[in-house]
Amino acid sequence: MDNCALNIQHVTKEYKLYENELDRLKEAFHPFKKSYHKNFFALKDICIQIEKGEKVGIIGANGAGKSTLLKIITGVLTPTQGEIKTHGRIAALLELGAGFNQDYTGIENIRLNGTLMGDSERRINEKMQQIIDFADIGDFIYQPVKSYSSGMFVRLAFATQIFSEPDILIVDEALSVGDIRFQQKCYRAMDSIMKDKTVVLVTHDTAAVTRFCKRVIWINQGTVMYDGEVAEGLKQYQEFLINQAIEEKEKIGANDFDIPALEKKAGKADQMITVPDIASDVHFKGNGKAKIYQCGLYDNQERLIEEIEPRQLVKCIVRISYQEKIIHPILGLAVRDRLGNEIIGINSETLAQELPPAYDRQEYWLSFIMPELNKGEYTVSIAVANGYQADHVQLCWLDDALIFRVCDRKYDIPGTLYIENGSVKVFQL
């Protein structure tokens, strides 16, 4: 327990919901204590333990209970049941501008925040210039914060919290407001300044979770659905979102699309190519009205490949069994790096390739030029849907269905893409 930063034990948060204020008043004064409310549980028996130095991402749909949990951790709310033990100094960005006095200038709010965090006047003055430089909002630092844009708000708010030297930093969606340069700046700061500290990041940006966190916690309707390794957690969360979308569309009949006036007939493959079966450990997602049962990566001579060279033509051959006639199929794939970051995302719609109605068993060849990837292992996820890019239903989705390698490049340099075509010109000034 000495290494525990946050210990959340059996935390429940219950709210009483009334249809109107009169019902609240009637319940308060009813002689027989008649109930006029409905119970709503924002959190249900949450148990989480976060060790010192962990970088943890919390994900979930809007209304799942993420923000409620963070407010309880920081003492903004009290739990109905359970207890939370924190070890160390906490800094939090829960809501945009929370804790700022709207009529104070940026400088005055820096002093206010430092005082609330228990810093001495000398310590505040020592950190003042660091905060100003990091926020980088120019002369607006001397203006009342009520005149700030949302981006300026988050710049100053993050700077004041990160330089308060907390043991635990909690960030709730605040970074989504800033521009991309500032977001990268914040992640670098969390990597360096909070290197040995605890960070809890709440975000809808799964790429940020993959890039920054080593652990993910998925909360849905106040309950912890998953707590563990990032890649697996994001896969389960994605599957949940897909199934939820399928259920919603089936309720409103959104799976019924107009039949085109002219149907294109699917052709027969010129030759039968041996295509590997889907590996037994690959998990199927979707509504089950189609099943991808074989797929593989091939070169221009239709040879199965596991190593791919940059700028090489790649053919992904996919065989699908349809359980019913699909009017407007969409075939797509995504290439991800070892951390789960999506490098390539293409499908027949974005390639302006309208596929004919599908039924029974069909084979597809999706060809593209592999970009200048750096060395390493990559995975290919494959999916087939029914509908259009802006409105579709997932029939079958396979995460990491295929794996390929890019061999060592000439130089060992960081990054996902490897650029070697270019030139440098030198001019004497």
Side-chain angles (χ1 to χ4, degrees), residues 129-417:
Q129 194 58 48
Q130 289 179 301
I131 295 172
I132 293 173
D133 292 342
F134 191 93
D136 193 21
I137 57 175
D139 290 339
F140 277 95
I141 197 72
Y142 303 105
Q143 300 299 318
V145 298
K146 63 184 178 183
S147 66
Y148 287 11
S149 66
S150 59
M152 291 178 183
F153 254 118
V154 74
R155 282 173 173 268
L156 184 60
F158 185 87
T160 57
Q161 298 304 321
I162 197 75
F163 286 104
S164 66
E165 299 180 359
D167 298 299
I168 304 168
L169 177 65
I170 296 174
V171 183
D172 185 7
E173 289 291 356
L175 298 184
S176 61
V177 177
D179 59 73
I180 188 167
R181 287 192 180 92
F182 184 71
Q183 290 177 21
Q184 295 291 348
K185 188 177 181 180
C186 290
Y187 286 121
R188 287 195 296 270
M190 288 192 287
D191 276 334
S192 56
I193 299 174
M194 300 296 295
K195 183 177 181 180
D196 300 319
K197 308 294 185 180
T198 305
V199 179
V200 179
L201 177 66
V202 173
T203 181
H204 291 287
D205 185 358
T206 56
V209 175
T210 302
R211 175 243 184 275
F212 184 72
C213 303
K214 303 300 182 184
R215 173 183 170 192
V216 67
I217 298 171
W218 166 30
I219 296 178
N220 183 54
Q221 296 183 348
T223 302
V224 174
M225 305 295 290
Y226 178 88
D227 183 353
E229 195 268 334
V230 171
E232 179 61 27
L234 295 181
K235 286 180 184 178
Q236 291 191 23
Y237 180 53
Q238 183 184 57
E239 180 177 9
F240 167 78
L241 294 178
I242 289 173
N243 291 335
Q244 189 178 56
I246 290 170
E247 291 174 3
E248 291 176 355
K249 288 181 178 292
E250 287 179 345
K251 285 180 182 178
I252 62 176
N255 201 32
D256 299 325
F257 297 97
D258 294 335
I259 299 177
L262 177 63
E263 292 189 356
K264 297 180 181 179
K265 300 298 182 181
K268 288 285 186 179
D270 293 334
Q271 56 181 340
M272 290 302 293
I273 296 175
T274 301
V275 180
D277 293 336
I278 300 299
S280 59
D281 59 345
V282 174
H283 187 53
F284 290 79
K285 304 174 186 177
N287 65 7
K289 294 182 179 179
K291 183 177 182 181
I292 301 170
Y293 63 94
Q294 290 177 337
C295 66
L297 297 176
Y298 296 80
D299 62 14
N300 201 29
Q301 283 75 45
E302 283 78 59
R303 293 175 300 195
L304 192 65
I305 51 176
E306 293 182 354
E307 291 187 357
I308 297 178
E309 295 291 332
R311 301 186 301 277
Q312 179 179 353
L313 176 66
V314 178
K315 296 179 181 178
C316 182
I317 299 180
V318 183
R319 289 175 178 168
I320 303 174
S321 174
Y322 293 96
Q323 306 304 310
E324 61 182 43
K325 186 173 184 179
I326 301 301
I327 301 302
H328 200 277
I330 306 174
L331 178 70
L333 65 79
V335 175
R336 296 189 176 99
D337 65 13
R338 63 182 182 85
L339 297 177
N341 296 308
E342 190 163 313
I343 308 303
I344 304 171
I346 57 175
N347 63 50
S348 53
E349 281 276 292
T350 60
L351 296 174
Q353 301 288 310
E354 183 176 350
L355 301 181
Y359 52 91
D360 199 18
R361 293 193 172 195
Q362 301 217 319
E363 178 177 296
Y364 300 92
W365 292 23
L366 195 160
S367 301
F368 63 98
I369 302 295
M370 186 62 68
E372 292 274 6
L373 296 181
N374 211 339
K375 68 174 183 178
E377 282 196 328
Y378 298 84
T379 66
V380 180
S381 299
I382 302 172
V384 61
N386 183 26
Y388 301 89
Q389 183 67 21
D391 185 18
H392 57 265
V393 176
Q394 290 293 346
L395 306 177
C396 184
W397 181 308
L398 304 182
D399 274 318
D400 307 332
L402 300 169
I403 300 174
F404 70 90
R405 295 184 303 277
V406 175
C407 295
D408 289 353
R409 310 303 300 273
K410 185 177 181 180
Y411 299 104
D412 187 11
I413 60 174
T416 301
L417 297 180

Side-chain angles (χ1 to χ4, degrees), residues 44-101:
K44 306 173 187 176
D45 195 32
I46 299 290
C47 294
I48 300 171
Q49 184 170 308
I50 299 176
E51 303 298 320
K52 293 179 181 177
E54 275 197 287
K55 307 297 186 286
V56 180
I58 298 182
I59 58 175
N62 291 331
K66 307 184 300 296
S67 295
T68 301
L69 177 62
L70 298 191
K71 288 178 181 178
I72 291 176
I73 292 174
T74 55
V76 176
L77 296 176
T78 56
T80 306
Q81 295 177 5
E83 65 175 355
I84 291 183
K85 294 181 180 178
T86 61
H87 303 274
R89 178 170 167 169
I90 298 178
L93 274 72
L94 297 183
E95 294 178 2
L96 198 58
F100 281 177
N101 186 313

